[in-house]
Amino acid sequence: MAKLIYVTNVSLDGYIEDKQGSFNLYPHNDDVFAAYTDLIRSVGTFLYGRRLYETMAPWETNAALAAQSNLTADFATAWQAANKVVYSTTLAAVSTVNTRLEKRFDAASIRDMKASAPSDLTVGGAHLAAQAFTAGLVDECRLFVWPWIIGGGKPALPSDTRAALELLDERRFENGVVYLRYRIAT
């Protein structure tokens, strides 16, 4: 059975975006970017909310992003290879191939995907991830914790769900980012 993994960048005080709704808070770092690319390379399906999907879609629809460097080309290739499922009540269509649009979150459908998928799935976007946590679907959290305190915004983790976590891996980067990989304890 494939795992459902929640992957996100997060400030030290626990937010994925600031009070103004910006989540492009963190400066580019080649080492962190390469680690993120390595992580997504093993993913077969990305589950996204509308806003995160619209942020990520240019990795397929804007060739100039991949053309910036070997690192960005590698990321674009890995991202484009995976399937995507976008959950949105407002999006009318998707702009990328290998992408399916769903109007509502359906825990049973995601359980079926996990049971039949040949490789892991990720969930992205705090609202969608919170629904997956609440439904007991998330198997791992992989957090890139940035050494920033932003003082408020959208929390990375749901505030109404409790879970015990087991640390599986950690890595420190020269720029102060810490990668933490946790399994949801059962």
Side-chain angles (χ1 to χ4, degrees), residues 75-105:
F75 181 87
T77 298
W79 190 83
Q80 291 173 28
N83 294 317
K84 294 106 186 143
V85 181
V86 182
Y87 296 87
S88 173
T89 58
T90 59
L91 200 60
V94 292
S95 60
T96 56
V97 298
N98 301 323
T99 305
R100 184 174 84 234
L101 180 61
E102 294 289 337
K103 292 298 180 187
R104 64 178 185 82
F105 176 86

PDB file of all heavy atoms in Angstrom, residues 75-105:
ATOM      1  N   PHE A  75      13.546  19.411 -11.524  1.00  0.00           N
ATOM      2  CA  PHE A  75      12.298  19.527 -10.771  1.00  0.00           C
ATOM      3  C   PHE A  75      11.099  19.464 -11.705  1.00  0.00           C
ATOM      4  O   PHE A  75      10.127  18.741 -11.443  1.00  0.00           O
ATOM      5  CB  PHE A  75      12.270  20.824  -9.954  1.00  0.00           C
ATOM      6  CG  PHE A  75      11.014  20.981  -9.146  1.00  0.00           C
ATOM      7  CD1 PHE A  75      10.915  20.446  -7.882  1.00  0.00           C
ATOM      8  CD2 PHE A  75       9.908  21.651  -9.674  1.00  0.00           C
ATOM      9  CE1 PHE A  75       9.751  20.571  -7.142  1.00  0.00           C
ATOM     10  CE2 PHE A  75       8.741  21.777  -8.943  1.00  0.00           C
ATOM     11  CZ  PHE A  75       8.662  21.231  -7.673  1.00  0.00           C
ATOM     12  N   ALA A  76      11.138  20.222 -12.790  1.00  0.00           N
ATOM     13  CA  ALA A  76      10.011  20.249 -13.732  1.00  0.00           C
ATOM     14  C   ALA A  76       9.736  18.861 -14.288  1.00  0.00           C
ATOM     15  O   ALA A  76       8.576  18.439 -14.379  1.00  0.00           O
ATOM     16  CB  ALA A  76      10.287  21.243 -14.859  1.00  0.00           C
ATOM     17  N   THR A  77      10.782  18.142 -14.627  1.00  0.00           N
ATOM     18  CA  THR A  77      10.618  16.784 -15.153  1.00  0.00           C
ATOM     19  C   THR A  77       9.956  15.874 -14.122  1.00  0.00           C
ATOM     20  O   THR A  77       9.028  15.125 -14.448  1.00  0.00           O
ATOM     21  CB  THR A  77      11.984  16.204 -15.573  1.00  0.00           C
ATOM     22  OG1 THR A  77      12.515  17.036 -16.612  1.00  0.00           O
ATOM     23  CG2 THR A  77      11.859  14.776 -16.075  1.00  0.00           C
ATOM     24  N   ALA A  78      10.415  15.937 -12.878  1.00  0.00           N
ATOM     25  CA  ALA A  78       9.844  15.103 -11.810  1.00  0.00           C
ATOM     26  C   ALA A  78       8.385  15.487 -11.553  1.00  0.00           C
ATOM     27  O   ALA A  78       7.521  14.615 -11.383  1.00  0.00           O
ATOM     28  CB  ALA A  78      10.668  15.242 -10.530  1.00  0.00           C
ATOM     29  N   TRP A  79       8.092  16.776 -11.547  1.00  0.00           N
ATOM     30  CA  TRP A  79       6.730  17.224 -11.267  1.00  0.00           C
ATOM     31  C   TRP A  79       5.785  16.808 -12.395  1.00  0.00           C
ATOM     32  O   TRP A  79       4.682  16.317 -12.149  1.00  0.00           O
ATOM     33  CB  TRP A  79       6.687  18.740 -11.058  1.00  0.00           C
ATOM     34  CG  TRP A  79       5.374  19.187 -10.530  1.00  0.00           C
ATOM     35  CD1 TRP A  79       4.972  19.171  -9.222  1.00  0.00           C
ATOM     36  CD2 TRP A  79       4.261  19.674 -11.284  1.00  0.00           C
ATOM     37  NE1 TRP A  79       3.670  19.629  -9.131  1.00  0.00           N
ATOM     38  CE2 TRP A  79       3.217  19.944 -10.373  1.00  0.00           C
ATOM     39  CE3 TRP A  79       4.049  19.910 -12.634  1.00  0.00           C
ATOM     40  CZ2 TRP A  79       1.984  20.441 -10.773  1.00  0.00           C
ATOM     41  CZ3 TRP A  79       2.814  20.406 -13.040  1.00  0.00           C
ATOM     42  CH2 TRP A  79       1.798  20.667 -12.104  1.00  0.00           C
ATOM     43  N   GLN A  80       6.217  16.971 -13.620  1.00  0.00           N
ATOM     44  CA  GLN A  80       5.362  16.641 -14.755  1.00  0.00           C
ATOM     45  C   GLN A  80       5.089  15.143 -14.865  1.00  0.00           C
ATOM     46  O   GLN A  80       4.035  14.741 -15.363  1.00  0.00           O
ATOM     47  CB  GLN A  80       6.001  17.138 -16.053  1.00  0.00           C
ATOM     48  CG  GLN A  80       6.015  18.636 -16.168  1.00  0.00           C
ATOM     49  CD  GLN A  80       6.799  19.129 -17.357  1.00  0.00           C
ATOM     50  OE1 GLN A  80       6.921  18.448 -18.368  1.00  0.00           O
ATOM     51  NE2 GLN A  80       7.345  20.329 -17.249  1.00  0.00           N
ATOM     52  N   ALA A  81       6.009  14.316 -14.386  1.00  0.00           N
ATOM     53  CA  ALA A  81       5.852  12.865 -14.508  1.00  0.00           C
ATOM     54  C   ALA A  81       4.742  12.309 -13.624  1.00  0.00           C
ATOM     55  O   ALA A  81       4.167  11.260 -13.925  1.00  0.00           O
ATOM     56  CB  ALA A  81       7.172  12.174 -14.166  1.00  0.00           C
ATOM     57  N   ALA A  82       4.433  12.991 -12.551  1.00  0.00           N
ATOM     58  CA  ALA A  82       3.434  12.492 -11.601  1.00  0.00           C
ATOM     59  C   ALA A  82       2.013  12.842 -12.040  1.00  0.00           C
ATOM     60  O   ALA A  82       1.784  13.810 -12.767  1.00  0.00           O
ATOM     61  CB  ALA A  82       3.698  13.080 -10.214  1.00  0.00           C
ATOM     62  N   ASN A  83       1.067  12.052 -11.570  1.00  0.00           N
ATOM     63  CA  ASN A  83      -0.347  12.373 -11.727  1.00  0.00           C
ATOM     64  C   ASN A  83      -0.711  13.440 -10.709  1.00  0.00           C
ATOM     65  O   ASN A  83      -0.071  13.549  -9.662  1.00  0.00           O
ATOM     66  CB  ASN A  83      -1.204  11.129 -11.505  1.00  0.00           C
ATOM     67  CG  ASN A  83      -0.982  10.093 -12.571  1.00  0.00           C
ATOM     68  OD1 ASN A  83      -0.911  10.406 -13.740  1.00  0.00           O
ATOM     69  ND2 ASN A  83      -0.854   8.839 -12.157  1.00  0.00           N
ATOM     70  N   LYS A  84      -1.744  14.202 -11.011  1.00  0.00           N
ATOM     71  CA  LYS A  84      -2.232  15.222 -10.090  1.00  0.00           C
ATOM     72  C   LYS A  84      -3.737  15.097  -9.959  1.00  0.00           C
ATOM     73  O   LYS A  84      -4.431  14.856 -10.942  1.00  0.00           O
ATOM     74  CB  LYS A  84      -1.899  16.640 -10.580  1.00  0.00           C
ATOM     75  CG  LYS A  84      -0.425  16.976 -10.602  1.00  0.00           C
ATOM     76  CD  LYS A  84       0.015  16.980 -12.021  1.00  0.00           C
ATOM     77  CE  LYS A  84       1.507  17.168 -12.149  1.00  0.00           C
ATOM     78  NZ  LYS A  84       2.042  16.372 -13.247  1.00  0.00           N
ATOM     79  N   VAL A  85      -4.215  15.281  -8.735  1.00  0.00           N
ATOM     80  CA  VAL A  85      -5.650  15.375  -8.470  1.00  0.00           C
ATOM     81  C   VAL A  85      -5.857  16.706  -7.765  1.00  0.00           C
ATOM     82  O   VAL A  85      -5.234  16.968  -6.728  1.00  0.00           O
ATOM     83  CB  VAL A  85      -6.171  14.215  -7.600  1.00  0.00           C
ATOM     84  CG1 VAL A  85      -7.678  14.358  -7.380  1.00  0.00           C
ATOM     85  CG2 VAL A  85      -5.832  12.866  -8.221  1.00  0.00           C
ATOM     86  N   VAL A  86      -6.695  17.552  -8.327  1.00  0.00           N
ATOM     87  CA  VAL A  86      -6.950  18.876  -7.790  1.00  0.00           C
ATOM     88  C   VAL A  86      -8.358  18.906  -7.210  1.00  0.00           C
ATOM     89  O   VAL A  86      -9.323  18.562  -7.899  1.00  0.00           O
ATOM     90  CB  VAL A  86      -6.808  19.963  -8.876  1.00  0.00           C
ATOM     91  CG1 VAL A  86      -7.040  21.340  -8.282  1.00  0.00           C
ATOM     92  CG2 VAL A  86      -5.447  19.872  -9.547  1.00  0.00           C
ATOM     93  N   TYR A  87      -8.460  19.317  -5.956  1.00  0.00           N
ATOM     94  CA  TYR A  87      -9.749  19.407  -5.271  1.00  0.00           C
ATOM     95  C   TYR A  87     -10.152  20.878  -5.219  1.00  0.00           C
ATOM     96  O   TYR A  87      -9.486  21.693  -4.591  1.00  0.00           O
ATOM     97  CB  TYR A  87      -9.644  18.827  -3.861  1.00  0.00           C
ATOM     98  CG  TYR A  87      -9.325  17.349  -3.883  1.00  0.00           C
ATOM     99  CD1 TYR A  87      -8.010  16.907  -3.947  1.00  0.00           C
ATOM    100  CD2 TYR A  87     -10.345  16.409  -3.895  1.00  0.00           C
ATOM    101  CE1 TYR A  87      -7.720  15.551  -4.003  1.00  0.00           C
ATOM    102  CE2 TYR A  87     -10.057  15.047  -3.957  1.00  0.00           C
ATOM    103  CZ  TYR A  87      -8.740  14.630  -4.008  1.00  0.00           C
ATOM    104  OH  TYR A  87      -8.451  13.296  -4.071  1.00  0.00           O
ATOM    105  N   SER A  88     -11.237  21.204  -5.914  1.00  0.00           N
ATOM    106  CA  SER A  88     -11.678  22.587  -5.971  1.00  0.00           C
ATOM    107  C   SER A  88     -13.148  22.658  -6.341  1.00  0.00           C
ATOM    108  O   SER A  88     -13.595  21.970  -7.259  1.00  0.00           O
ATOM    109  CB  SER A  88     -10.860  23.361  -7.012  1.00  0.00           C
ATOM    110  OG  SER A  88     -11.373  24.665  -7.188  1.00  0.00           O
ATOM    111  N   THR A  89     -13.865  23.518  -5.656  1.00  0.00           N
ATOM    112  CA  THR A  89     -15.259  23.774  -6.023  1.00  0.00           C
ATOM    113  C   THR A  89     -15.362  24.950  -6.985  1.00  0.00           C
ATOM    114  O   THR A  89     -16.422  25.176  -7.559  1.00  0.00           O
ATOM    115  CB  THR A  89     -16.106  24.076  -4.767  1.00  0.00           C
ATOM    116  OG1 THR A  89     -15.535  25.199  -4.087  1.00  0.00           O
ATOM    117  CG2 THR A  89     -16.160  22.874  -3.839  1.00  0.00           C
ATOM    118  N   THR A  90     -14.269  25.696  -7.165  1.00  0.00           N
ATOM    119  CA  THR A  90     -14.323  26.892  -8.008  1.00  0.00           C
ATOM    120  C   THR A  90     -13.585  26.753  -9.327  1.00  0.00           C
ATOM    121  O   THR A  90     -13.881  27.497 -10.263  1.00  0.00           O
ATOM    122  CB  THR A  90     -13.744  28.104  -7.253  1.00  0.00           C
ATOM    123  OG1 THR A  90     -12.393  27.819  -6.881  1.00  0.00           O
ATOM    124  CG2 THR A  90     -14.565  28.416  -6.007  1.00  0.00           C
ATOM    125  N   LEU A  91     -12.662  25.844  -9.439  1.00  0.00           N
ATOM    126  CA  LEU A  91     -11.885  25.675 -10.669  1.00  0.00           C
ATOM    127  C   LEU A  91     -12.742  24.950 -11.709  1.00  0.00           C
ATOM    128  O   LEU A  91     -13.333  23.914 -11.430  1.00  0.00           O
ATOM    129  CB  LEU A  91     -10.617  24.869 -10.356  1.00  0.00           C
ATOM    130  CG  LEU A  91      -9.452  24.953 -11.319  1.00  0.00           C
ATOM    131  CD1 LEU A  91      -8.949  26.390 -11.448  1.00  0.00           C
ATOM    132  CD2 LEU A  91      -8.325  24.059 -10.823  1.00  0.00           C
ATOM    133  N   ALA A  92     -12.790  25.500 -12.920  1.00  0.00           N
ATOM    134  CA  ALA A  92     -13.611  24.902 -13.981  1.00  0.00           C
ATOM    135  C   ALA A  92     -12.834  23.879 -14.804  1.00  0.00           C
ATOM    136  O   ALA A  92     -13.420  22.942 -15.342  1.00  0.00           O
ATOM    137  CB  ALA A  92     -14.146  25.999 -14.901  1.00  0.00           C
ATOM    138  N   ALA A  93     -11.514  24.059 -14.912  1.00  0.00           N
ATOM    139  CA  ALA A  93     -10.693  23.163 -15.724  1.00  0.00           C
ATOM    140  C   ALA A  93      -9.259  23.214 -15.217  1.00  0.00           C
ATOM    141  O   ALA A  93      -8.882  24.136 -14.499  1.00  0.00           O
ATOM    142  CB  ALA A  93     -10.740  23.581 -17.187  1.00  0.00           C
ATOM    143  N   VAL A  94      -8.476  22.224 -15.621  1.00  0.00           N
ATOM    144  CA  VAL A  94      -7.059  22.187 -15.257  1.00  0.00           C
ATOM    145  C   VAL A  94      -6.219  22.436 -16.507  1.00  0.00           C
ATOM    146  O   VAL A  94      -6.662  22.166 -17.628  1.00  0.00           O
ATOM    147  CB  VAL A  94      -6.677  20.842 -14.598  1.00  0.00           C
ATOM    148  CG1 VAL A  94      -7.356  20.713 -13.239  1.00  0.00           C
ATOM    149  CG2 VAL A  94      -7.028  19.667 -15.488  1.00  0.00           C
ATOM    150  N   SER A  95      -5.004  22.945 -16.300  1.00  0.00           N
ATOM    151  CA  SER A  95      -4.166  23.344 -17.432  1.00  0.00           C
ATOM    152  C   SER A  95      -2.994  22.397 -17.677  1.00  0.00           C
ATOM    153  O   SER A  95      -2.169  22.668 -18.543  1.00  0.00           O
ATOM    154  CB  SER A  95      -3.620  24.755 -17.181  1.00  0.00           C
ATOM    155  OG  SER A  95      -2.852  24.786 -15.990  1.00  0.00           O
ATOM    156  N   THR A  96      -2.911  21.306 -16.928  1.00  0.00           N
ATOM    157  CA  THR A  96      -1.783  20.392 -17.064  1.00  0.00           C
ATOM    158  C   THR A  96      -2.275  18.994 -17.421  1.00  0.00           C
ATOM    159  O   THR A  96      -3.403  18.621 -17.115  1.00  0.00           O
ATOM    160  CB  THR A  96      -0.975  20.330 -15.749  1.00  0.00           C
ATOM    161  OG1 THR A  96      -1.834  19.951 -14.673  1.00  0.00           O
ATOM    162  CG2 THR A  96      -0.325  21.670 -15.438  1.00  0.00           C
ATOM    163  N   VAL A  97      -1.395  18.221 -18.081  1.00  0.00           N
ATOM    164  CA  VAL A  97      -1.743  16.844 -18.428  1.00  0.00           C
ATOM    165  C   VAL A  97      -1.627  15.982 -17.176  1.00  0.00           C
ATOM    166  O   VAL A  97      -1.098  16.409 -16.149  1.00  0.00           O
ATOM    167  CB  VAL A  97      -0.845  16.294 -19.565  1.00  0.00           C
ATOM    168  CG1 VAL A  97      -1.029  17.110 -20.829  1.00  0.00           C
ATOM    169  CG2 VAL A  97       0.610  16.253 -19.157  1.00  0.00           C
ATOM    170  N   ASN A  98      -2.129  14.774 -17.255  1.00  0.00           N
ATOM    171  CA  ASN A  98      -2.107  13.829 -16.128  1.00  0.00           C
ATOM    172  C   ASN A  98      -2.757  14.426 -14.881  1.00  0.00           C
ATOM    173  O   ASN A  98      -2.304  14.170 -13.767  1.00  0.00           O
ATOM    174  CB  ASN A  98      -0.672  13.386 -15.796  1.00  0.00           C
ATOM    175  CG  ASN A  98       0.004  12.722 -16.961  1.00  0.00           C
ATOM    176  OD1 ASN A  98      -0.619  11.995 -17.728  1.00  0.00           O
ATOM    177  ND2 ASN A  98       1.287  12.989 -17.120  1.00  0.00           N
ATOM    178  N   THR A  99      -3.782  15.246 -15.089  1.00  0.00           N
ATOM    179  CA  THR A  99      -4.420  15.954 -13.979  1.00  0.00           C
ATOM    180  C   THR A  99      -5.924  15.748 -14.033  1.00  0.00           C
ATOM    181  O   THR A  99      -6.547  15.894 -15.082  1.00  0.00           O
ATOM    182  CB  THR A  99      -4.104  17.463 -14.042  1.00  0.00           C
ATOM    183  OG1 THR A  99      -2.688  17.633 -14.082  1.00  0.00           O
ATOM    184  CG2 THR A  99      -4.666  18.188 -12.834  1.00  0.00           C
ATOM    185  N   ARG A 100      -6.469  15.413 -12.874  1.00  0.00           N
ATOM    186  CA  ARG A 100      -7.911  15.206 -12.742  1.00  0.00           C
ATOM    187  C   ARG A 100      -8.463  16.225 -11.749  1.00  0.00           C
ATOM    188  O   ARG A 100      -7.841  16.501 -10.720  1.00  0.00           O
ATOM    189  CB  ARG A 100      -8.160  13.780 -12.239  1.00  0.00           C
ATOM    190  CG  ARG A 100      -9.617  13.405 -12.146  1.00  0.00           C
ATOM    191  CD  ARG A 100      -9.808  11.935 -11.792  1.00  0.00           C
ATOM    192  NE  ARG A 100      -9.719  11.754 -10.341  1.00  0.00           N
ATOM    193  CZ  ARG A 100      -8.907  10.903  -9.726  1.00  0.00           C
ATOM    194  NH1 ARG A 100      -8.077  10.142 -10.411  1.00  0.00           N
ATOM    195  NH2 ARG A 100      -8.909  10.791  -8.419  1.00  0.00           N
ATOM    196  N   LEU A 101      -9.625  16.773 -12.030  1.00  0.00           N
ATOM    197  CA  LEU A 101     -10.283  17.741 -11.170  1.00  0.00           C
ATOM    198  C   LEU A 101     -11.404  17.051 -10.402  1.00  0.00           C
ATOM    199  O   LEU A 101     -12.237  16.363 -10.996  1.00  0.00           O
ATOM    200  CB  LEU A 101     -10.849  18.885 -12.022  1.00  0.00           C
ATOM    201  CG  LEU A 101     -11.577  20.010 -11.291  1.00  0.00           C
ATOM    202  CD1 LEU A 101     -10.664  20.717 -10.310  1.00  0.00           C
ATOM    203  CD2 LEU A 101     -12.144  21.003 -12.318  1.00  0.00           C
ATOM    204  N   GLU A 102     -11.401  17.215  -9.091  1.00  0.00           N
ATOM    205  CA  GLU A 102     -12.463  16.684  -8.228  1.00  0.00           C
ATOM    206  C   GLU A 102     -13.117  17.855  -7.512  1.00  0.00           C
ATOM    207  O   GLU A 102     -12.427  18.763  -7.030  1.00  0.00           O
ATOM    208  CB  GLU A 102     -11.890  15.710  -7.192  1.00  0.00           C
ATOM    209  CG  GLU A 102     -11.309  14.443  -7.774  1.00  0.00           C
ATOM    210  CD  GLU A 102     -12.370  13.497  -8.328  1.00  0.00           C
ATOM    211  OE1 GLU A 102     -13.542  13.597  -7.901  1.00  0.00           O
ATOM    212  OE2 GLU A 102     -12.023  12.668  -9.188  1.00  0.00           O
ATOM    213  N   LYS A 103     -14.423  17.826  -7.419  1.00  0.00           N
ATOM    214  CA  LYS A 103     -15.152  18.934  -6.787  1.00  0.00           C
ATOM    215  C   LYS A 103     -15.149  18.860  -5.259  1.00  0.00           C
ATOM    216  O   LYS A 103     -15.327  19.870  -4.595  1.00  0.00           O
ATOM    217  CB  LYS A 103     -16.597  18.994  -7.309  1.00  0.00           C
ATOM    218  CG  LYS A 103     -16.672  19.404  -8.757  1.00  0.00           C
ATOM    219  CD  LYS A 103     -16.114  20.794  -8.950  1.00  0.00           C
ATOM    220  CE  LYS A 103     -16.168  21.249 -10.386  1.00  0.00           C
ATOM    221  NZ  LYS A 103     -15.494  22.525 -10.603  1.00  0.00           N
ATOM    222  N   ARG A 104     -14.925  17.650  -4.711  1.00  0.00           N
ATOM    223  CA  ARG A 104     -14.947  17.551  -3.248  1.00  0.00           C
ATOM    224  C   ARG A 104     -13.967  16.495  -2.774  1.00  0.00           C
ATOM    225  O   ARG A 104     -13.641  15.557  -3.494  1.00  0.00           O
ATOM    226  CB  ARG A 104     -16.342  17.256  -2.735  1.00  0.00           C
ATOM    227  CG  ARG A 104     -16.899  15.922  -3.161  1.00  0.00           C
ATOM    228  CD  ARG A 104     -18.298  15.660  -2.569  1.00  0.00           C
ATOM    229  NE  ARG A 104     -18.752  14.329  -2.904  1.00  0.00           N
ATOM    230  CZ  ARG A 104     -18.400  13.230  -2.257  1.00  0.00           C
ATOM    231  NH1 ARG A 104     -17.586  13.288  -1.241  1.00  0.00           N
ATOM    232  NH2 ARG A 104     -18.856  12.045  -2.624  1.00  0.00           N
ATOM    233  N   PHE A 105     -13.518  16.684  -1.554  1.00  0.00           N
ATOM    234  CA  PHE A 105     -12.642  15.730  -0.894  1.00  0.00           C
ATOM    235  C   PHE A 105     -13.442  14.473  -0.578  1.00  0.00           C
ATOM    236  O   PHE A 105     -14.539  14.553  -0.033  1.00  0.00           O
ATOM    237  CB  PHE A 105     -12.117  16.357   0.405  1.00  0.00           C
ATOM    238  CG  PHE A 105     -11.265  15.443   1.231  1.00  0.00           C
ATOM    239  CD1 PHE A 105      -9.917  15.335   0.987  1.00  0.00           C
ATOM    240  CD2 PHE A 105     -11.820  14.700   2.262  1.00  0.00           C
ATOM    241  CE1 PHE A 105      -9.123  14.495   1.753  1.00  0.00           C
ATOM    242  CE2 PHE A 105     -11.036  13.862   3.039  1.00  0.00           C
ATOM    243  CZ  PHE A 105      -9.683  13.755   2.775  1.00  0.00           C
TER     244      PHE A 105
END
